[in-house]
Amino acid sequence: MEAESCLCSRGYGDGHYVLPPLPYEAGALEPFLDAETVTIHHDRHHAAYVAGANAAVESIRKVAANVYDETMVSAATQRLAFNLGGHFLHCLYWSSLCPEPQGAPEGALADAVNESFGGYDGFLRVFRGVAIGLQGSGWAVLGRERLSGRLAVLGIERHQDVLVPGFKPLLACDVWEHAYYLRYKNNRAGYVDAFLRQVDWAAALERMEHRTCHGDRS
Ligand code: MN3
C-alpha cells in the first residue's frame, strides 16, 4: 500500500490547489502549540497560499491565451513560486508534526542522520542553528540532497529562496512568526526546541524510503 506520509498528496484536486484538512484536531499538539495558533495558521495563512497559487496559475494561463501581455508573466511566476512553495511547505509542516512525541529517528533515517551529521545530537545542533539563524521569515527543512545522497538542512527564505534543485524534503519547521508568536512570543529557540520534540519521525522515514511529497519515486 502506498504510504500517505504527507498532506501534499491531498493538496490538489479537480484542477485546483486545495487546502487539505489537518491530520489531527487543532488542539492535539498541546502543549507544543495551542488550538488558536494552529487554527489561524491553517485556516487563514495556509489557505491564503492555496488561493494565491491558484490565482497565479490563472494569471499565467491568461498570458498564454494572450489575454494578458507577456510582460505580466514574470511577476505571476514569482507569485506562483512564493504561494505554491507556501502551500507545499505548510502541507509538509503539518505532516512533520505528531501529537505523540516520538523521540529520535529510527531505522534507515537514523543511519542517514548518523552518516550526515555524526549522530542525532549533531543533527539537532545543525537544524536548530539553521532555524534560529534565519533572518526574518523562513523555514528550516531537512531533506536529502540528490547528488551525494546525504541529508542536509536548508534555511529556505520566504517559501522559495535558497532551495537546491532536486532537494527532497523530509521534514519542515515553519519559523515565520505566525507559527509560534501567540505562545512563544519572541522566543524562537523555545519554539524550535519544542518542534524538534514533536517531530513525526516515522512519517519522515516513510517519505525518505517510499515517495516524495511530489509523488515521484527516488
Ligand atoms: Mn506558516
Side-chain angles (χ1 to χ4, degrees):
M1 197 177 87
E2 203 61 80
E4 288 286 341
S5 57
C6 186
L7 281 190
C8 292
S9 60
R10 286 180 279 143
Y12 185 84
D14 256 352
H16 292 89
Y17 299 109
V18 295
L19 179 66
L22 288 168
Y24 32 70
E25 295 294 319
L29 299 175
E30 282 277 9
F32 163 54
L33 285 176
D34 54 281
E36 184 180 14
T37 294
V38 171
T39 299
I40 294 172
H41 195 176
H42 177 266
D43 295 2
R44 305 211 188 149
H45 291 275
H46 187 169
Y49 300 125
V50 173
N54 285 323
V57 167
E58 187 55 28
S59 294
I60 294 165
R61 281 199 186 115
K62 286 182 174 171
V63 173
N66 206 21
V67 176
Y68 288 166
D69 187 85
E70 66 187 42
T71 58
M72 302 279 287
V73 83
S74 178
T77 53
Q78 289 178 42
R79 283 201 305 278
L80 180 64
F82 175 75
N83 286 285
L84 187 52
H87 179 29
F88 170 79
L89 285 167
H90 282 90
C91 287
L92 183 58
Y93 175 67
W94 304 123
S95 302
S96 295
L97 292 164
C98 178
E100 299 297 327
Q102 294 184 4
E106 295 182 351
L109 185 51
D111 294 342
V113 165
N114 290 337
E115 165 83 10
S116 304
F117 303 106
Y120 181 60
D121 287 346
F123 157 75
L124 290 177
R125 277 192 292 278
V126 170
F127 194 91
R128 195 174 184 276
V130 169
I132 294 168
L134 279 163
Q135 292 183 318
S137 303
W139 297 77
V141 179
L142 171 69
R144 191 165 58 188
E145 185 277 290
R146 291 200 190 207
L147 286 185
S148 67
R150 289 165 67 90
L151 301 181
V153 179
L154 296 185
I156 298 175
E157 297 169 7
R158 298 191 292 165
H159 303 313
Q160 76 277 33
D161 299 337
V162 195
L163 184 55
V164 175
F167 181 76
K168 178 181 178 182
L170 306 175
L171 174 72
C173 180
D174 189 342
V175 288
W176 287 54
E177 287 182 348
H178 64 235
Y180 62 88
Y181 214 82
L182 288 180
R183 172 146 295 177
Y184 295 86
K185 303 297 187 284
N186 62 336
N187 181 15
R188 185 192 286 188
Y191 160 73
V192 171
D193 287 341
F195 170 89
L196 285 164
R197 290 191 291 270
Q198 211 72 35
V199 165
D200 190 340
W201 286 111
L205 176 60
E206 288 277 356
R207 281 190 281 279
M208 189 178 81
E209 291 197 318
H210 295 295
R211 57 185 294 177
T212 73
C213 294
H214 307 283
D216 62 331
R217 295 188 171 279
S218 61

